[in-house]
Structure formats: C-alpha cells, structure tokens
Amino acid sequence: MEETFGGFVREKRRACGLTLRGLAAKLELSPVYMSNIENSRRAAPTHEYLDRLAEILQLDKADQERLLDLAAKSQHNRVSADLPNYIMDREIVRAALRTAKEADATDQEWQDFIDQINRRMKNSGEDKGSEA
C-alpha cells in the first residue's frame, strides 16, 4: 500500500507519544479536522501548518522532505512546498529541469548530480574547518 500524508503524520505522531487531540491542540486545529487528515479524507494543511507540524513532530531533514512530498501529493500539487520559490527564482534551475526532462534523465544521472553537489558541500565544510 502506498504511503499517504495522513498515515505518515499518524506514524510520526504516535512515535512522539502524542494523541490525535494533543497534536490538534498544538496546531490549533480541531480534532475532527486532524482525524480527517490522518485518515486521508482531507488533504494536507497549508505550508505554515506543515512547518509547525515538522517542528512539533521533531522531524529530521529527510522526514521533513518526506512530509512536504506527501503533502504535495495529497493536495494534488506537482511540486513540494519547499521547492517552487527556489525553482522560480533561478532561471538555470528551470533550464536544468527542462533539459533533464527532454533528455529523460535517468535516476543514476540524477544520483550522480546529487553526489557531486554533496561532495562539494562536504569539501566546502572541510575548507571552512581548516581556516579556523
């Protein structure tokens, strides 16, 4: 069965030891609304709520990204909430995405690109550490 936004939230809520009512109260949402979200009868709430939800559930970076991806799917959006501004603010990113789409870039090509960026970030961090 495919993972849903609501199922993901329920799993993380339970892992934090929160009740549905407790989470709803922290988000200032009704318990019925929160129940509808967890049972996939409602789409994910707005980005502001997603930020608060990630904080309350103490999600790490990977889980925050998963939360945003699942939220976008539940809202029938095509792009996770953390990406549109980055994409639209950078012409080169749009060009890269269009080129990758046209070329039907493989998962391996994307992984190679991610690995290259991660190496740069790691090396950049090491350079900063050696300057101290």
PDB file of all heavy atoms in Angstrom, residues 83 86-87 90-101 105-122:
ATOM      1  N   LEU A  83      10.044  23.851  -2.683  1.00  0.00           N
ATOM      2  CA  LEU A  83      10.788  23.964  -3.937  1.00  0.00           C
ATOM      3  C   LEU A  83      10.352  25.048  -4.915  1.00  0.00           C
ATOM      4  O   LEU A  83      11.202  25.557  -5.656  1.00  0.00           O
ATOM      5  CB  LEU A  83      10.777  22.608  -4.658  1.00  0.00           C
ATOM      6  CG  LEU A  83      11.479  21.487  -3.900  1.00  0.00           C
ATOM      7  CD1 LEU A  83      11.309  20.169  -4.633  1.00  0.00           C
ATOM      8  CD2 LEU A  83      12.941  21.811  -3.683  1.00  0.00           C
ATOM      9  N   TYR A  86      12.517  28.291  -5.016  1.00  0.00           N
ATOM     10  CA  TYR A  86      13.885  28.007  -5.465  1.00  0.00           C
ATOM     11  C   TYR A  86      13.908  27.833  -6.978  1.00  0.00           C
ATOM     12  O   TYR A  86      14.765  28.382  -7.667  1.00  0.00           O
ATOM     13  CB  TYR A  86      14.425  26.751  -4.764  1.00  0.00           C
ATOM     14  CG  TYR A  86      15.844  26.436  -5.152  1.00  0.00           C
ATOM     15  CD1 TYR A  86      16.908  27.101  -4.548  1.00  0.00           C
ATOM     16  CD2 TYR A  86      16.134  25.495  -6.132  1.00  0.00           C
ATOM     17  CE1 TYR A  86      18.218  26.831  -4.917  1.00  0.00           C
ATOM     18  CE2 TYR A  86      17.445  25.218  -6.503  1.00  0.00           C
ATOM     19  CZ  TYR A  86      18.480  25.889  -5.896  1.00  0.00           C
ATOM     20  OH  TYR A  86      19.772  25.628  -6.266  1.00  0.00           O
ATOM     21  N   ILE A  87      12.963  27.106  -7.483  1.00  0.00           N
ATOM     22  CA  ILE A  87      12.891  26.856  -8.926  1.00  0.00           C
ATOM     23  C   ILE A  87      12.605  28.148  -9.685  1.00  0.00           C
ATOM     24  O   ILE A  87      13.270  28.472 -10.670  1.00  0.00           O
ATOM     25  CB  ILE A  87      11.828  25.789  -9.245  1.00  0.00           C
ATOM     26  CG1 ILE A  87      12.271  24.429  -8.695  1.00  0.00           C
ATOM     27  CG2 ILE A  87      11.564  25.709 -10.745  1.00  0.00           C
ATOM     28  CD1 ILE A  87      11.169  23.380  -8.685  1.00  0.00           C
ATOM     29  N   ARG A  90      15.428  30.939  -9.927  1.00  0.00           N
ATOM     30  CA  ARG A  90      16.679  30.618 -10.603  1.00  0.00           C
ATOM     31  C   ARG A  90      16.413  30.080 -12.006  1.00  0.00           C
ATOM     32  O   ARG A  90      16.004  28.940 -12.179  1.00  0.00           O
ATOM     33  CB  ARG A  90      17.451  29.589  -9.780  1.00  0.00           C
ATOM     34  CG  ARG A  90      17.969  30.177  -8.481  1.00  0.00           C
ATOM     35  CD  ARG A  90      18.370  29.104  -7.497  1.00  0.00           C
ATOM     36  NE  ARG A  90      18.879  29.683  -6.264  1.00  0.00           N
ATOM     37  CZ  ARG A  90      18.104  30.095  -5.267  1.00  0.00           C
ATOM     38  NH1 ARG A  90      16.805  29.989  -5.350  1.00  0.00           N
ATOM     39  NH2 ARG A  90      18.636  30.616  -4.177  1.00  0.00           N
ATOM     40  N   GLU A  91      16.697  30.902 -12.987  1.00  0.00           N
ATOM     41  CA  GLU A  91      16.471  30.503 -14.376  1.00  0.00           C
ATOM     42  C   GLU A  91      17.267  29.254 -14.736  1.00  0.00           C
ATOM     43  O   GLU A  91      16.789  28.372 -15.446  1.00  0.00           O
ATOM     44  CB  GLU A  91      16.847  31.655 -15.314  1.00  0.00           C
ATOM     45  CG  GLU A  91      16.512  31.375 -16.756  1.00  0.00           C
ATOM     46  CD  GLU A  91      16.778  32.576 -17.651  1.00  0.00           C
ATOM     47  OE1 GLU A  91      16.737  33.718 -17.172  1.00  0.00           O
ATOM     48  OE2 GLU A  91      17.023  32.344 -18.842  1.00  0.00           O
ATOM     49  N   ILE A  92      18.485  29.136 -14.212  1.00  0.00           N
ATOM     50  CA  ILE A  92      19.338  27.989 -14.531  1.00  0.00           C
ATOM     51  C   ILE A  92      18.718  26.687 -14.013  1.00  0.00           C
ATOM     52  O   ILE A  92      18.857  25.632 -14.639  1.00  0.00           O
ATOM     53  CB  ILE A  92      20.781  28.181 -13.996  1.00  0.00           C
ATOM     54  CG1 ILE A  92      21.728  27.148 -14.608  1.00  0.00           C
ATOM     55  CG2 ILE A  92      20.824  28.144 -12.489  1.00  0.00           C
ATOM     56  CD1 ILE A  92      21.995  27.356 -16.070  1.00  0.00           C
ATOM     57  N   VAL A  93      18.022  26.746 -12.894  1.00  0.00           N
ATOM     58  CA  VAL A  93      17.374  25.544 -12.354  1.00  0.00           C
ATOM     59  C   VAL A  93      16.249  25.110 -13.284  1.00  0.00           C
ATOM     60  O   VAL A  93      16.104  23.916 -13.589  1.00  0.00           O
ATOM     61  CB  VAL A  93      16.847  25.798 -10.916  1.00  0.00           C
ATOM     62  CG1 VAL A  93      16.020  24.619 -10.423  1.00  0.00           C
ATOM     63  CG2 VAL A  93      18.006  26.076  -9.968  1.00  0.00           C
ATOM     64  N   ARG A  94      15.466  26.081 -13.751  1.00  0.00           N
ATOM     65  CA  ARG A  94      14.394  25.743 -14.693  1.00  0.00           C
ATOM     66  C   ARG A  94      14.968  25.153 -15.975  1.00  0.00           C
ATOM     67  O   ARG A  94      14.459  24.173 -16.507  1.00  0.00           O
ATOM     68  CB  ARG A  94      13.529  26.966 -14.971  1.00  0.00           C
ATOM     69  CG  ARG A  94      12.757  27.433 -13.739  1.00  0.00           C
ATOM     70  CD  ARG A  94      11.706  28.492 -14.045  1.00  0.00           C
ATOM     71  NE  ARG A  94      12.199  29.649 -14.761  1.00  0.00           N
ATOM     72  CZ  ARG A  94      12.808  30.692 -14.195  1.00  0.00           C
ATOM     73  NH1 ARG A  94      13.016  30.723 -12.896  1.00  0.00           N
ATOM     74  NH2 ARG A  94      13.185  31.719 -14.928  1.00  0.00           N
ATOM     75  N   ALA A  95      16.069  25.736 -16.459  1.00  0.00           N
ATOM     76  CA  ALA A  95      16.712  25.220 -17.672  1.00  0.00           C
ATOM     77  C   ALA A  95      17.226  23.798 -17.438  1.00  0.00           C
ATOM     78  O   ALA A  95      17.070  22.925 -18.298  1.00  0.00           O
ATOM     79  CB  ALA A  95      17.848  26.145 -18.097  1.00  0.00           C
ATOM     80  N   ALA A  96      17.821  23.559 -16.276  1.00  0.00           N
ATOM     81  CA  ALA A  96      18.340  22.225 -15.963  1.00  0.00           C
ATOM     82  C   ALA A  96      17.212  21.204 -15.897  1.00  0.00           C
ATOM     83  O   ALA A  96      17.328  20.096 -16.436  1.00  0.00           O
ATOM     84  CB  ALA A  96      19.102  22.250 -14.638  1.00  0.00           C
ATOM     85  N   LEU A  97      16.124  21.567 -15.259  1.00  0.00           N
ATOM     86  CA  LEU A  97      14.986  20.642 -15.159  1.00  0.00           C
ATOM     87  C   LEU A  97      14.380  20.354 -16.527  1.00  0.00           C
ATOM     88  O   LEU A  97      14.039  19.206 -16.836  1.00  0.00           O
ATOM     89  CB  LEU A  97      13.930  21.207 -14.209  1.00  0.00           C
ATOM     90  CG  LEU A  97      14.308  21.190 -12.730  1.00  0.00           C
ATOM     91  CD1 LEU A  97      13.281  21.961 -11.913  1.00  0.00           C
ATOM     92  CD2 LEU A  97      14.453  19.765 -12.220  1.00  0.00           C
ATOM     93  N   ARG A  98      14.271  21.382 -17.356  1.00  0.00           N
ATOM     94  CA  ARG A  98      13.710  21.167 -18.698  1.00  0.00           C
ATOM     95  C   ARG A  98      14.639  20.298 -19.550  1.00  0.00           C
ATOM     96  O   ARG A  98      14.182  19.433 -20.305  1.00  0.00           O
ATOM     97  CB  ARG A  98      13.438  22.503 -19.366  1.00  0.00           C
ATOM     98  CG  ARG A  98      12.240  23.205 -18.753  1.00  0.00           C
ATOM     99  CD  ARG A  98      11.891  24.500 -19.451  1.00  0.00           C
ATOM    100  NE  ARG A  98      10.667  25.043 -18.872  1.00  0.00           N
ATOM    101  CZ  ARG A  98      10.605  26.204 -18.232  1.00  0.00           C
ATOM    102  NH1 ARG A  98      11.680  26.967 -18.107  1.00  0.00           N
ATOM    103  NH2 ARG A  98       9.453  26.619 -17.730  1.00  0.00           N
ATOM    104  N   THR A  99      15.947  20.516 -19.411  1.00  0.00           N
ATOM    105  CA  THR A  99      16.905  19.702 -20.152  1.00  0.00           C
ATOM    106  C   THR A  99      16.827  18.249 -19.690  1.00  0.00           C
ATOM    107  O   THR A  99      16.804  17.326 -20.513  1.00  0.00           O
ATOM    108  CB  THR A  99      18.336  20.242 -19.948  1.00  0.00           C
ATOM    109  OG1 THR A  99      18.384  21.590 -20.434  1.00  0.00           O
ATOM    110  CG2 THR A  99      19.368  19.400 -20.680  1.00  0.00           C
ATOM    111  N   ALA A 100      16.766  18.048 -18.381  1.00  0.00           N
ATOM    112  CA  ALA A 100      16.662  16.689 -17.840  1.00  0.00           C
ATOM    113  C   ALA A 100      15.379  16.018 -18.299  1.00  0.00           C
ATOM    114  O   ALA A 100      15.374  14.834 -18.644  1.00  0.00           O
ATOM    115  CB  ALA A 100      16.731  16.732 -16.313  1.00  0.00           C
ATOM    116  N   LYS A 101      14.307  16.785 -18.343  1.00  0.00           N
ATOM    117  CA  LYS A 101      13.022  16.230 -18.801  1.00  0.00           C
ATOM    118  C   LYS A 101      13.117  15.831 -20.271  1.00  0.00           C
ATOM    119  O   LYS A 101      12.715  14.734 -20.663  1.00  0.00           O
ATOM    120  CB  LYS A 101      11.917  17.267 -18.601  1.00  0.00           C
ATOM    121  CG  LYS A 101      10.567  16.812 -19.099  1.00  0.00           C
ATOM    122  CD  LYS A 101       9.539  17.923 -18.949  1.00  0.00           C
ATOM    123  CE  LYS A 101       8.261  17.531 -19.656  1.00  0.00           C
ATOM    124  NZ  LYS A 101       7.413  18.662 -19.928  1.00  0.00           N
ATOM    125  N   ALA A 105      16.315  12.168 -18.224  1.00  0.00           N
ATOM    126  CA  ALA A 105      17.447  11.836 -17.362  1.00  0.00           C
ATOM    127  C   ALA A 105      17.109  10.629 -16.491  1.00  0.00           C
ATOM    128  O   ALA A 105      15.999  10.512 -15.969  1.00  0.00           O
ATOM    129  CB  ALA A 105      17.812  13.035 -16.483  1.00  0.00           C
ATOM    130  N   THR A 106      18.083   9.761 -16.341  1.00  0.00           N
ATOM    131  CA  THR A 106      17.880   8.545 -15.548  1.00  0.00           C
ATOM    132  C   THR A 106      18.065   8.847 -14.057  1.00  0.00           C
ATOM    133  O   THR A 106      18.656   9.871 -13.680  1.00  0.00           O
ATOM    134  CB  THR A 106      18.896   7.466 -15.951  1.00  0.00           C
ATOM    135  OG1 THR A 106      20.217   7.924 -15.597  1.00  0.00           O
ATOM    136  CG2 THR A 106      18.821   7.153 -17.435  1.00  0.00           C
ATOM    137  N   ASP A 107      17.599   7.929 -13.245  1.00  0.00           N
ATOM    138  CA  ASP A 107      17.813   8.057 -11.805  1.00  0.00           C
ATOM    139  C   ASP A 107      19.307   8.103 -11.497  1.00  0.00           C
ATOM    140  O   ASP A 107      19.741   8.849 -10.619  1.00  0.00           O
ATOM    141  CB  ASP A 107      17.167   6.900 -11.040  1.00  0.00           C
ATOM    142  CG  ASP A 107      15.650   6.988 -11.001  1.00  0.00           C
ATOM    143  OD1 ASP A 107      15.081   8.024 -11.444  1.00  0.00           O
ATOM    144  OD2 ASP A 107      15.009   6.025 -10.519  1.00  0.00           O
ATOM    145  N   GLN A 108      20.083   7.331 -12.205  1.00  0.00           N
ATOM    146  CA  GLN A 108      21.529   7.314 -11.972  1.00  0.00           C
ATOM    147  C   GLN A 108      22.156   8.662 -12.317  1.00  0.00           C
ATOM    148  O   GLN A 108      23.047   9.142 -11.602  1.00  0.00           O
ATOM    149  CB  GLN A 108      22.212   6.195 -12.761  1.00  0.00           C
ATOM    150  CG  GLN A 108      23.692   6.049 -12.430  1.00  0.00           C
ATOM    151  CD  GLN A 108      23.940   5.779 -10.953  1.00  0.00           C
ATOM    152  OE1 GLN A 108      23.386   4.847 -10.395  1.00  0.00           O
ATOM    153  NE2 GLN A 108      24.766   6.599 -10.316  1.00  0.00           N
ATOM    154  N   GLU A 109      21.711   9.285 -13.408  1.00  0.00           N
ATOM    155  CA  GLU A 109      22.236  10.612 -13.755  1.00  0.00           C
ATOM    156  C   GLU A 109      21.893  11.623 -12.668  1.00  0.00           C
ATOM    157  O   GLU A 109      22.740  12.446 -12.294  1.00  0.00           O
ATOM    158  CB  GLU A 109      21.686  11.062 -15.109  1.00  0.00           C
ATOM    159  CG  GLU A 109      22.288  10.287 -16.263  1.00  0.00           C
ATOM    160  CD  GLU A 109      21.599  10.548 -17.594  1.00  0.00           C
ATOM    161  OE1 GLU A 109      20.349  10.648 -17.627  1.00  0.00           O
ATOM    162  OE2 GLU A 109      22.326  10.642 -18.604  1.00  0.00           O
ATOM    163  N   TRP A 110      20.692  11.570 -12.153  1.00  0.00           N
ATOM    164  CA  TRP A 110      20.303  12.467 -11.059  1.00  0.00           C
ATOM    165  C   TRP A 110      21.118  12.160  -9.808  1.00  0.00           C
ATOM    166  O   TRP A 110      21.568  13.065  -9.104  1.00  0.00           O
ATOM    167  CB  TRP A 110      18.807  12.374 -10.772  1.00  0.00           C
ATOM    168  CG  TRP A 110      17.985  13.168 -11.730  1.00  0.00           C
ATOM    169  CD1 TRP A 110      17.150  12.691 -12.693  1.00  0.00           C
ATOM    170  CD2 TRP A 110      17.912  14.600 -11.828  1.00  0.00           C
ATOM    171  NE1 TRP A 110      16.582  13.734 -13.384  1.00  0.00           N
ATOM    172  CE2 TRP A 110      17.020  14.919 -12.871  1.00  0.00           C
ATOM    173  CE3 TRP A 110      18.524  15.631 -11.140  1.00  0.00           C
ATOM    174  CZ2 TRP A 110      16.727  16.234 -13.224  1.00  0.00           C
ATOM    175  CZ3 TRP A 110      18.227  16.948 -11.496  1.00  0.00           C
ATOM    176  CH2 TRP A 110      17.347  17.225 -12.537  1.00  0.00           C
ATOM    177  N   GLN A 111      21.324  10.869  -9.510  1.00  0.00           N
ATOM    178  CA  GLN A 111      22.104  10.500  -8.329  1.00  0.00           C
ATOM    179  C   GLN A 111      23.535  10.982  -8.456  1.00  0.00           C
ATOM    180  O   GLN A 111      24.122  11.468  -7.483  1.00  0.00           O
ATOM    181  CB  GLN A 111      22.065   8.985  -8.092  1.00  0.00           C
ATOM    182  CG  GLN A 111      22.656   8.577  -6.751  1.00  0.00           C
ATOM    183  CD  GLN A 111      21.941   9.215  -5.578  1.00  0.00           C
ATOM    184  OE1 GLN A 111      20.742   9.060  -5.424  1.00  0.00           O
ATOM    185  NE2 GLN A 111      22.687   9.944  -4.742  1.00  0.00           N
ATOM    186  N   ASP A 112      24.116  10.879  -9.643  1.00  0.00           N
ATOM    187  CA  ASP A 112      25.477  11.383  -9.875  1.00  0.00           C
ATOM    188  C   ASP A 112      25.545  12.888  -9.609  1.00  0.00           C
ATOM    189  O   ASP A 112      26.502  13.379  -9.002  1.00  0.00           O
ATOM    190  CB  ASP A 112      25.936  11.082 -11.309  1.00  0.00           C
ATOM    191  CG  ASP A 112      26.152   9.596 -11.563  1.00  0.00           C
ATOM    192  OD1 ASP A 112      26.219   8.805 -10.595  1.00  0.00           O
ATOM    193  OD2 ASP A 112      26.244   9.227 -12.765  1.00  0.00           O
ATOM    194  N   PHE A 113      24.534  13.607 -10.064  1.00  0.00           N
ATOM    195  CA  PHE A 113      24.470  15.058  -9.838  1.00  0.00           C
ATOM    196  C   PHE A 113      24.382  15.354  -8.335  1.00  0.00           C
ATOM    197  O   PHE A 113      25.115  16.197  -7.812  1.00  0.00           O
ATOM    198  CB  PHE A 113      23.274  15.637 -10.594  1.00  0.00           C
ATOM    199  CG  PHE A 113      23.024  17.093 -10.315  1.00  0.00           C
ATOM    200  CD1 PHE A 113      23.877  18.065 -10.810  1.00  0.00           C
ATOM    201  CD2 PHE A 113      21.935  17.492  -9.561  1.00  0.00           C
ATOM    202  CE1 PHE A 113      23.652  19.411 -10.559  1.00  0.00           C
ATOM    203  CE2 PHE A 113      21.699  18.826  -9.308  1.00  0.00           C
ATOM    204  CZ  PHE A 113      22.561  19.792  -9.800  1.00  0.00           C
ATOM    205  N   ILE A 114      23.510  14.641  -7.636  1.00  0.00           N
ATOM    206  CA  ILE A 114      23.361  14.838  -6.188  1.00  0.00           C
ATOM    207  C   ILE A 114      24.677  14.532  -5.474  1.00  0.00           C
ATOM    208  O   ILE A 114      25.110  15.286  -4.591  1.00  0.00           O
ATOM    209  CB  ILE A 114      22.220  13.954  -5.640  1.00  0.00           C
ATOM    210  CG1 ILE A 114      20.877  14.451  -6.177  1.00  0.00           C
ATOM    211  CG2 ILE A 114      22.229  13.921  -4.110  1.00  0.00           C
ATOM    212  CD1 ILE A 114      19.726  13.480  -5.960  1.00  0.00           C
ATOM    213  N   ASP A 115      25.331  13.433  -5.863  1.00  0.00           N
ATOM    214  CA  ASP A 115      26.605  13.062  -5.248  1.00  0.00           C
ATOM    215  C   ASP A 115      27.657  14.140  -5.465  1.00  0.00           C
ATOM    216  O   ASP A 115      28.426  14.457  -4.552  1.00  0.00           O
ATOM    217  CB  ASP A 115      27.100  11.724  -5.811  1.00  0.00           C
ATOM    218  CG  ASP A 115      26.227  10.547  -5.391  1.00  0.00           C
ATOM    219  OD1 ASP A 115      25.395  10.700  -4.466  1.00  0.00           O
ATOM    220  OD2 ASP A 115      26.365   9.473  -6.018  1.00  0.00           O
ATOM    221  N   GLN A 116      27.680  14.717  -6.660  1.00  0.00           N
ATOM    222  CA  GLN A 116      28.650  15.777  -6.964  1.00  0.00           C
ATOM    223  C   GLN A 116      28.404  16.995  -6.067  1.00  0.00           C
ATOM    224  O   GLN A 116      29.344  17.562  -5.507  1.00  0.00           O
ATOM    225  CB  GLN A 116      28.536  16.177  -8.435  1.00  0.00           C
ATOM    226  CG  GLN A 116      29.488  17.267  -8.840  1.00  0.00           C
ATOM    227  CD  GLN A 116      29.309  17.668 -10.306  1.00  0.00           C
ATOM    228  OE1 GLN A 116      28.477  17.133 -11.018  1.00  0.00           O
ATOM    229  NE2 GLN A 116      30.104  18.619 -10.742  1.00  0.00           N
ATOM    230  N   ILE A 117      27.163  17.399  -5.916  1.00  0.00           N
ATOM    231  CA  ILE A 117      26.826  18.545  -5.058  1.00  0.00           C
ATOM    232  C   ILE A 117      27.180  18.233  -3.601  1.00  0.00           C
ATOM    233  O   ILE A 117      27.741  19.082  -2.893  1.00  0.00           O
ATOM    234  CB  ILE A 117      25.327  18.905  -5.191  1.00  0.00           C
ATOM    235  CG1 ILE A 117      24.978  19.309  -6.622  1.00  0.00           C
ATOM    236  CG2 ILE A 117      24.933  19.991  -4.187  1.00  0.00           C
ATOM    237  CD1 ILE A 117      25.545  20.626  -7.069  1.00  0.00           C
ATOM    238  N   ASN A 118      26.854  17.022  -3.150  1.00  0.00           N
ATOM    239  CA  ASN A 118      27.176  16.635  -1.768  1.00  0.00           C
ATOM    240  C   ASN A 118      28.674  16.650  -1.517  1.00  0.00           C
ATOM    241  O   ASN A 118      29.127  17.074  -0.446  1.00  0.00           O
ATOM    242  CB  ASN A 118      26.580  15.265  -1.432  1.00  0.00           C
ATOM    243  CG  ASN A 118      25.098  15.340  -1.158  1.00  0.00           C
ATOM    244  OD1 ASN A 118      24.584  16.358  -0.713  1.00  0.00           O
ATOM    245  ND2 ASN A 118      24.402  14.250  -1.431  1.00  0.00           N
ATOM    246  N   ARG A 119      29.470  16.202  -2.497  1.00  0.00           N
ATOM    247  CA  ARG A 119      30.935  16.250  -2.357  1.00  0.00           C
ATOM    248  C   ARG A 119      31.401  17.698  -2.230  1.00  0.00           C
ATOM    249  O   ARG A 119      32.271  18.002  -1.414  1.00  0.00           O
ATOM    250  CB  ARG A 119      31.618  15.573  -3.544  1.00  0.00           C
ATOM    251  CG  ARG A 119      31.684  14.061  -3.446  1.00  0.00           C
ATOM    252  CD  ARG A 119      32.619  13.444  -4.486  1.00  0.00           C
ATOM    253  NE  ARG A 119      32.272  13.767  -5.861  1.00  0.00           N
ATOM    254  CZ  ARG A 119      31.368  13.107  -6.587  1.00  0.00           C
ATOM    255  NH1 ARG A 119      30.725  12.077  -6.080  1.00  0.00           N
ATOM    256  NH2 ARG A 119      31.100  13.474  -7.828  1.00  0.00           N
ATOM    257  N   ARG A 120      30.829  18.583  -3.042  1.00  0.00           N
ATOM    258  CA  ARG A 120      31.203  19.998  -2.971  1.00  0.00           C
ATOM    259  C   ARG A 120      30.873  20.569  -1.602  1.00  0.00           C
ATOM    260  O   ARG A 120      31.675  21.270  -0.995  1.00  0.00           O
ATOM    261  CB  ARG A 120      30.504  20.809  -4.061  1.00  0.00           C
ATOM    262  CG  ARG A 120      30.935  22.292  -4.016  1.00  0.00           C
ATOM    263  CD  ARG A 120      30.181  23.198  -4.936  1.00  0.00           C
ATOM    264  NE  ARG A 120      28.750  23.172  -4.836  1.00  0.00           N
ATOM    265  CZ  ARG A 120      28.035  23.841  -3.917  1.00  0.00           C
ATOM    266  NH1 ARG A 120      28.622  24.547  -2.981  1.00  0.00           N
ATOM    267  NH2 ARG A 120      26.718  23.787  -3.940  1.00  0.00           N
ATOM    268  N   MET A 121      29.679  20.237  -1.083  1.00  0.00           N
ATOM    269  CA  MET A 121      29.290  20.753   0.239  1.00  0.00           C
ATOM    270  C   MET A 121      30.214  20.216   1.330  1.00  0.00           C
ATOM    271  O   MET A 121      30.626  20.954   2.221  1.00  0.00           O
ATOM    272  CB  MET A 121      27.838  20.391   0.552  1.00  0.00           C
ATOM    273  CG  MET A 121      26.838  21.171  -0.279  1.00  0.00           C
ATOM    274  SD  MET A 121      25.105  20.986   0.206  1.00  0.00           S
ATOM    275  CE  MET A 121      24.918  19.283   0.611  1.00  0.00           C
ATOM    276  N   LYS A 122      30.564  18.938   1.241  1.00  0.00           N
ATOM    277  CA  LYS A 122      31.451  18.328   2.222  1.00  0.00           C
ATOM    278  C   LYS A 122      32.830  18.976   2.164  1.00  0.00           C
ATOM    279  O   LYS A 122      33.395  19.341   3.188  1.00  0.00           O
ATOM    280  CB  LYS A 122      31.557  16.829   1.971  1.00  0.00           C
ATOM    281  CG  LYS A 122      32.431  16.126   2.976  1.00  0.00           C
ATOM    282  CD  LYS A 122      32.537  14.643   2.676  1.00  0.00           C
ATOM    283  CE  LYS A 122      33.494  13.995   3.665  1.00  0.00           C
ATOM    284  NZ  LYS A 122      33.891  12.675   3.263  1.00  0.00           N
TER     285      LYS A 122
END
